[in-house]
Amino acid sequence: MIAFLEGAVAELEPTHAIILCNGVGYRVHISLNTYEKIKGKERIRIRTHHLVREDAQLLYGFAEILEQQVFEL
């Protein structure tokens, strides 16, 4: 499982961010709360939740551990 990503913010939208880590861009779904906390930063460290389904693999990102814990409940 991917516990966190640390790297440059290559793209940032209110619904997702693309984080560049060692030449690989990871698309991470984010909340508006996380968007507000990382907006304007060039490099970030973001906690993640990797969700594997039959039809998709999704990566969700969180600026704070509390938001991640609520999501996982």
Side-chain angles (χ1 to χ4, degrees):
M1 176 176 299
I2 301 169
F4 68 89
L5 295 173
E6 186 172 358
V9 178
E11 183 178 314
L12 183 61
E13 298 290 332
T15 58
H16 73 276
I18 297 179
I19 312 302
L20 182 61
C21 301
N22 296 320
V24 178
Y26 292 90
R27 176 183 288 265
V28 182
H29 298 276
I30 58 173
S31 68
L32 288 174
N33 181 55
T34 294
Y35 172 78
E36 288 296 324
K37 294 196 182 295
I38 66 175
K39 182 172 58 174
K41 296 184 179 180
E42 292 183 21
R43 294 190 57 82
I44 62 168
R45 182 176 191 176
I46 191 167
R47 302 177 60 85
T48 60
H49 178 86
H50 185 199
L51 180 64
V52 178
R53 298 189 324 211
E54 183 177 314
D55 61 339
Q57 292 190 37
L58 304 169
L59 197 57
Y60 293 92
F62 311 93
E64 299 176 339
I65 191 168
L66 182 60
E67 185 179 10
Q68 182 180 15
Q69 290 171 336
V70 170
F71 176 84
E72 291 176 345
L73 286 176

